[in-house]
């Protein structure tokens, strides 16, 4: 997995209340499908579910990430999707996580991260730390702005 990594970071609003998303297994089935698909495509990332909406990071080869993101765009479990970052980056933030999960409670995280890298609370803390650092580092005010644009003098605003 050498070379540049394509990363997409977005947020969206959940289409259903938390009781529906968790009680009817929407989140669990979403994660199961995403983890298998991402494993095959060598895509890594994290899904954060707040009860009201989602924050997700996908990273890998552009040819693998873009079709996954296109399927996310038409997923009816959420709406009002806003891209925070879409760019080529030097390295992955979530290596080893086909799709890490952070939810509303540590118990929910433990239940839905069962198939993810081992380490229990330590792995969860690492996932949380990487997610928060990515949020802080993302160019939220200029989501289509690329570091390469600065170098070429062709910055889009």
């Amino acid at each position: 997995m050498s070379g540049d990594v394509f990363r997409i970071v977005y947020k969206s609003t959940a289409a259903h209340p938390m009781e529906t998303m968790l009680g009817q297994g929407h989140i669990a089935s979403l994660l199961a499908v995403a983890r298998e698909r991402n494993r095959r495509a060598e895509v890594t990332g994290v899904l954060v579910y707040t009860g009201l909406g989602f924050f997700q990071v996908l990273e890998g080869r552009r040819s693998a990430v873009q079709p996954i993101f296109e399927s996310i765009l038409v997923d009816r479990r959420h709406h009002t999707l806003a891209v925070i970052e879409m760019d080529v980056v030097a390295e992955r933030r979530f290596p080893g996580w086909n799709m890490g999960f952070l939810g509303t409670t540590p118990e929910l995280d433990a239940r839905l991260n069962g198939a993810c890298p081992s380490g229990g609370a330590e792995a969860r803390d690492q996932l949380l730390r990487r997610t928060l650092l990515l949020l802080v580092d993302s160019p939220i005010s200029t989501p289509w702005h690329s570091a390469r644009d600065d170098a070429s003098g062709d910055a889009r605003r």
Side-chain angles (χ1 to χ4, degrees):
M1 287 189 216
S2 62
D4 287 335
V5 175
F6 185 65
R7 178 182 298 139
I8 294 177
V9 179
Y10 74 89
K11 69 177 194 121
S12 64
T13 303
H16 307 288
M18 183 167 59
E19 297 77 24
T20 302
M21 296 298 285
L22 296 174
Q24 294 183 8
H26 289 296
I27 301 294
S29 67
L30 181 152
L31 286 169
V33 169
R35 286 175 175 149
E36 179 56 25
R37 178 194 61 209
N38 292 358
R39 183 191 60 76
R40 286 193 313 266
E42 297 181 338
V43 169
T44 57
V46 63
L47 176 68
V48 178
Y49 175 64
T50 68
L52 297 175
F54 300 95
F55 171 83
Q56 186 169 22
V57 180
L58 295 167
E59 52 191 18
R61 292 181 327 276
R62 182 185 299 263
S63 62
V65 172
Q66 281 186 312
I68 291 170
F69 184 63
E70 289 169 8
S71 72
I72 289 168
L73 288 171
V74 297
D75 191 316
R76 299 181 79 154
R77 291 173 286 202
H78 68 147
H79 59 84
T80 320
L81 188 142
V83 173
I84 296 169
E85 177 184 5
M86 182 181 293
D87 208 348
V88 175
V89 295
E91 62 185 15
R92 294 175 188 256
R93 285 284 179 116
F94 303 96
W97 291 89
N98 290 334
M99 186 49 57
F101 176 76
L102 293 169
T104 55
T105 66
E107 295 77 24
L108 180 62
D109 295 351
R111 181 166 53 97
L112 294 177
N113 276 326
C116 285
S118 61
E122 186 177 319
R124 181 182 177 278
D125 289 348
Q126 182 184 52
L127 183 63
L128 179 58
R129 185 174 297 107
R130 288 179 182 183
T131 304
L132 290 172
L133 288 172
L134 181 67
L135 242 175
V136 169
D137 292 344
S138 291
I140 293 173
S141 62
T142 55
W144 302 104
H145 181 72
S146 168
R148 275 197 237 147
D149 294 338
D150 286 340
S152 68
D154 183 32
R156 292 168 283 173
R157 302 261 182 228

